[in-house]
Amino acid sequence: MATPEPFDAVDVIRTKRDRGELSDGQIDWVVDAYTRGVVADEQMSALAMAILLNGMSRREIARWTDAMIRTGRRMDWSAVDRPTTDKHSTGGVGDKITLPLAPTVAACGAAVPQLSGRGLGHTGGTLDKLESIPGWRASLSADEMLGVLRDTGAVVCAAGDDLAPADKKLYALRDVTGTVEAIPLIASSIMSKKIAEGTGALVLDVKVGSGAFMKDAASARELAETMVALGTDAGVRTVALLTNMETPLGLTAGNALEVRESVEVLGGGGPDDVVELTVTLAREMLAAAGLDGGKDPADALKDGSAMDVWRRMIAAQGGDPSAALPRARETHTVLAPADGVLARLDAYQVGVAAWRLGAGRARKDEDVQAAAGVELHAKPGAVVRAGEPLLTLHTDEPARFDRALEALDGGYVIAPAGGRPDLPPLVIDRVG
Ligand code: URA
């Protein structure tokens, strides 16, 4: 006879529905039982909605995170002879920072074990971007991961199915039940994966603005503080930066387009905001790993050492770093409608346009187009002239242009020349 379950899902749901606190035993059980398929999707959906509406205490969030970690295995990098440090972004538009960042930090002496995900909705995913490089392989065995990390100093690859499997199942459920935007669930989702990943230090890039999950600085700060506390309590040296996501990062949103821009940054060029965020996050990662005072990340971008690591890292995963990147079969250029200063270019709307052009997926099992996306010709604050290119849309399927253009409707504002728009700083705050 099967062992009886110690709790009842409906009681757990009722407790949270009625604004009660879940006990450690209830949390351990419900997370494990959901992963085993004993708690049904509809029950977990109701519980996730109750958590979204009524919140969780710090104790509940810490226990929930730990319960998710315990559904899988923890990685161990003790065989690597350098301190490990990683970065995680809460997700944005044009956020290709991992690509120049991981090799830069490795070139400065740390090891970066980065287990990444794919994009869903309007935000891009690091693995989708790297997969636009001919031959590059996201799935590695644990031994291969260790080998690439030891040989090159950085490995960016897919998290295996055994890393916090509860989160994989719960994240997919939240995505279709309107329960993604709950701070306790976002914090535990991200931190369960990062703690299980086994990094010694972690820098969180918490995005704020239209293109982010957190639309205002107060909720971003609450998310950042919650995650920093979870990491610190788990023995991971954790800090968070709150950074602007009102407008896309850099001049590209879309997989191969973002790889091309990242390679420019690794070559010592590239857009100012991508360089600034790469260098700022790299310094934080090195400081968290106890390696500040050594080589500066800005120098690693200038002297070719970051590029060197990039080329070795891509080649170690089967990619050809010299191969031409895919180009879209069709492009459509949007022209500036008036003379003036670009006062606003909305990150969310650009992200949705890139997604509709084929850069993202609406369902987990869909393929993405490597070459699809949006290229910006101006950033907020730039002077623009009527009739000059503002944006170029890229796709292999021209039927997608109309819906992408609809997504961009009202997404850019050109103000009369003369005044400068009030632009928020790229790095808004630091927590930790
Ligand atoms: N990224 C994650 O990994 N989980 C979330 O819940 C949100 C963003």
Side-chain angles (χ1 to χ4, degrees):
M1 219 171 74
T3 325
E5 298 290 333
F7 295 93
D8 179 67
V10 179
D11 287 341
V12 177
I13 297 165
R14 282 199 190 110
T15 305
K16 196 35 79 182
R17 181 198 66 189
D18 298 340
R19 298 195 169 82
E21 277 206 26
L22 302 179
S23 68
D24 289 352
Q26 282 179 313
I27 291 173
D28 292 351
W29 175 77
V30 81
V31 170
D32 176 61
Y34 177 59
T35 313
R36 287 186 283 121
V38 168
V39 168
D41 276 348
E42 57 270 28
Q43 294 176 314
M44 191 49 117
S45 308
L47 181 58
M49 186 58 82
I51 293 169
L52 182 137
L53 296 173
N54 296 330
M56 273 180 153
S57 67
R58 283 281 163 93
R59 178 198 57 80
E60 287 175 292
I61 301 174
R63 192 72 186 200
W64 187 279
T65 306
D66 195 49
M68 296 222 290
I69 295 169
R70 280 186 279 111
T71 60
R73 76 180 184 115
R74 283 174 93 133
M75 311 285 295
D76 174 14
W77 305 110
S78 52
V80 178
D81 60 359
R82 310 176 183 192
T84 50
T85 186
D86 191 12
K87 181 255 348 179
H88 183 84
S89 156
T90 54
V93 178
D95 185 2
K96 71 274 301 168
I97 298 295
T98 290
L99 278 56
L101 180 66
T104 301
V105 172
C108 296
V112 185
Q114 168 138 149
L115 305 186
S116 291
R118 293 176 193 284
L120 196 65
H122 74 280
T123 64
T126 299
L127 302 181
D128 293 329
K129 297 176 212 254
L130 287 167
E131 275 176 349
S132 64
I133 301 173
W136 189 84
R137 201 159 50 85
S139 292
L140 300 183
S141 69
D143 281 352
E144 284 176 318
M145 273 181 223
L146 185 60
V148 178
L149 188 61
R150 277 170 135 171
D151 293 349
T152 72
V155 61
V156 182
C157 63
D161 287 341
D162 52 358
L163 192 100
D167 178 62
K168 283 206 176 61
K169 205 172 164 192
L170 181 55
Y171 191 84
L173 184 75
R174 287 165 57 212
D175 196 46
V176 293
T177 55
T179 52
V180 168
E181 294 90 347
I183 288 178
L185 296 178
I186 297 178
S188 55
S189 164
I190 291 175
M191 294 308 293
S192 61
K193 286 175 287 202
K194 288 289 141 180
I195 295 167
E197 176 194 90
T199 183
L202 178 65
V203 178
L204 297 159
D205 181 2
V206 180
K207 300 289 186 199
V208 188
S210 78
F213 286 125
M214 299 292 120
K215 307 291 179 203
D216 62 274
S219 35
R221 191 165 293 112
E222 188 186 336
L223 175 62
E225 283 168 358
T226 307
M227 293 195 291
V228 168
L230 287 172
T232 307
D233 289 351
V236 181
R237 288 176 303 284
T238 311
V239 296
L241 298 184
L242 268 51
T243 71
N244 176 30
M245 191 28 75
E246 286 296 345
T247 204
L249 259 175
L251 293 168
T252 56
N255 302 310
L257 291 170
E258 293 191 45
V259 173
R260 189 190 73 197
E261 187 168 277
S262 302
V263 172
E264 284 166 18
V265 172
L266 286 159
D272 291 348
D273 58 346
V274 181
V275 175
E276 180 187 339
L277 196 52
T278 302
V279 169
T280 306
L281 288 167
R283 287 181 184 146
E284 290 284 356
M285 285 169 71
L286 291 163
L291 289 173
D292 39 345
K295 182 170 181 142
D296 187 62
D299 295 333
L301 289 174
K302 292 275 175 237
D303 68 12
S305 54
M307 178 69 98
D308 223 46
V309 177
W310 162 263
R311 294 180 67 83
R312 285 192 286 121
M313 183 182 109
I314 296 302
Q317 285 172 239
D320 178 355
S322 306
L325 292 165
R327 283 190 177 273
R329 279 197 281 276
E330 306 284 341
T331 58
H332 175 95
T333 299
V334 176
L335 305 177
D339 286 351
V341 173
L342 184 61
R344 199 171 73 84
L345 181 56
D346 187 81
Y348 178 70
Q349 288 175 268
V350 171
V352 173
W355 176 25
R356 290 185 180 174
L357 289 164
R361 54 173 74 72
R363 289 201 333 265
K364 270 195 179 312
D365 48 2
E366 273 176 5
D367 285 336
V368 296
Q369 285 184 31
V374 179
E375 194 180 354
L376 320 183
H377 299 291
K379 297 273 285 186
V383 172
V384 295
R385 302 239 166 269
E388 282 181 3
L390 194 60
L391 304 162
T392 300
L393 315 187
H394 297 242
T395 183
D396 292 334
E397 297 166 272
R400 291 177 176 263
F401 282 134
D402 283 350
R403 294 214 59 229
L405 288 166
E406 264 169 39
L408 289 168
D409 196 28
Y412 48 88
V413 173
I414 296 176
R420 279 194 71 78
D422 199 11
L423 301 175
L426 181 58
V427 179
I428 300 164
D429 206 352
R430 182 180 188 281
V431 173

